[in-house]
Amino acid sequence: MTPSTFLRCLTRRARTVFATTRRAMRVACAVLAQRAPLPRSACIAAALCLAIFPGLPARAQEMRFAPVDENATNLDWLGYKNRLVEALEARNRKTVLAAIDPDVDNGPEQKRGLEEFRRRWDFDDDKSRLWDELRKAVELGGAYVKNEKGNTHFCAPYVAAKWPTSIDPFGFGAIVSTDVLVKAEPSSEARTLATLTHEVVKVDDWEVADKTPGFPQKWTRIALSDASGYVPEQQIRSPIEHMACFAAQGGQWRLVSFTAGYLPE
C-alpha cells in the first residue's frame, strides 16, 4: 500500500492538518472510520506505512500540468461516458448499476460486488456523494494505468492517474480549469493576484470559508512564488482523491472500481 492511500481517506481539511502534524492522522482515522466508503483498515495500514516513509520531496510551487484524456477519440468510451454522466445527474439508479461491473472491486479487504458498492456509497440516498464524485472524476478525463498484476484499466481523473511521481501528493494540488483567478482573500470580490491555467500548486489549506458569513462558496489557499492566494475549491483537485477505473469487457465498458489510493486487481 502506498503512502497516498491514507491521504485519500481524509477530507480536504484533514489533509491540511496532516501536513502540519502526523498526530492528526490517528484522530482523522478514528473519525473517518465511521463514514463509508472509508475503510478503517486502509487508514491504519497507511498510518504504519507513513511512519516508515517520510514522503516525497516538494518541487517548484507552480508547474504546468496539462489535462490528459487518452480516450478522447474512443467512440465506444465516449458513448458510455455520456450515458453514465447523464444517469448520475438524473439519479437514474438502473442505468448507473448497468454501467458497473457486477464484480466491482470495492478496495482492499472489502467484499467485491454491487451489494457492497451500494452499501458503501449509500446508493439509495439522493444525497449520496457518489453522484457528484463519480461524475466529476469522469468528466475530467483520464489515462490508462497498469496495476501490479499487469492489468490495464482506464482511470479518471487524469490528476490521479498521471500525477508526477516526483511531486509530493500530500501538499500539492492541480488547477483543473483555465484562467482561474487567484484572489488575495477568500472572496470573489477580492483583489486578483494571478491567473492560473492547469498548473500544479502548493496547497496551504484545502478548505477555507468564504469571507462573507454564510456564503456557500469554499476556497483553497495556495502558495504563489511571492504570496498566498485563494482559488475556488472546485477548480483545484488533489491527486489523492477518489479515482474511477474502467475496463472494456466483451466490448462493453464497465466501472471496475471507484476507490481512493488503490488500483483494482
Side-chain angles (χ1 to χ4, degrees):
M1 183 177 295
T2 64
S4 65
T5 302
F6 171 71
L7 271 296
R8 286 178 184 263
C9 287
L10 304 183
T11 61
R12 289 191 165 196
R13 169 63 64 178
R15 288 200 297 271
T16 299
V17 174
F18 175 81
T20 306
T21 170
R22 287 174 179 250
R23 187 162 55 87
M25 176 168 54
R26 300 187 183 92
V27 177
C29 277
V31 174
L32 293 172
Q34 308 303 318
R35 306 178 186 174
L38 305 176
R40 186 178 183 182
S41 60
C43 285
I44 294 174
L48 295 175
C49 181
L50 286 172
I52 300 172
F53 298 104
L56 298 173
R59 292 285 295 273
Q61 287 183 319
E62 299 164 40
M63 185 190 80
R64 178 74 175 169
F65 186 31
V68 174
D69 191 352
E70 295 180 356
N71 260 352
T73 60
N74 186 321
L75 296 182
D76 289 337
W77 161 257
L78 293 176
Y80 167 85
K81 170 187 171 182
N82 291 337
R83 290 191 298 273
L84 176 59
V85 168
E86 290 175 2
L88 289 167
E89 291 176 339
R91 309 295 195 265
N92 185 331
R93 291 171 175 78
K94 181 178 180 180
T95 301
V96 171
L97 287 177
I100 302 174
D101 180 6
D103 194 39
V104 61
D105 191 334
N106 292 303
E109 300 182 21
Q110 302 301 313
K111 290 177 58 178
R112 301 177 72 100
L114 289 173
E115 182 179 352
E116 178 66 9
F117 183 91
R118 294 181 65 143
R119 185 193 68 79
R120 287 166 56 78
W121 283 102
D122 293 326
F123 189 75
D124 294 324
D125 188 346
D126 281 346
K127 295 182 180 179
S128 168
R129 292 172 50 236
L130 174 71
W131 312 116
D132 287 334
E133 291 296 325
L134 182 54
R135 176 185 55 79
K136 289 188 292 187
V138 172
E139 288 183 333
L140 281 174
Y144 283 92
V145 178
K146 182 179 293 186
N147 65 15
E148 294 178 355
K149 293 185 176 181
N151 299 320
T152 300
H153 299 91
F154 180 74
C155 298
Y158 74 91
V159 176
K162 299 293 285 185
W163 185 258
T165 57
S166 61
I167 298 179
D168 179 6
F170 305 156
F172 287 73
I175 299 293
V176 294
S177 302
T178 59
D179 299 325
V180 175
L181 302 181
V182 183
K183 295 294 185 176
E185 296 179 292
S187 170
S188 59
E189 299 179 356
R191 178 169 57 93
T192 298
L193 300 177
T195 301
L196 300 178
T197 295
H198 300 301
E199 295 185 36
V200 172
V201 293
K202 187 176 185 303
V203 175
D204 294 330
D205 194 335
W206 277 101
E207 188 172 296
V208 179
D210 193 271
K211 188 177 179 181
T212 302
F215 193 71
Q217 177 65 58
K218 299 296 184 182
W219 299 80
T220 296
R221 186 171 73 236
I222 65 172
L224 300 175
S225 58
D226 56 355
S228 291
Y230 300 84
V231 296
E233 70 167 359
Q234 66 269 24
Q235 295 180 333
I236 184 171
R237 190 172 178 98
S238 167
I240 51 182
E241 295 184 62
H242 278 77
M243 178 169 65
C245 290
F246 303 83
Q249 303 169 336
Q252 297 292 322
W253 284 95
R254 293 288 186 271
L255 174 71
V256 296
S257 74
F258 187 41
T259 58
Y262 172 75
L263 283 175
E265 295 182 351

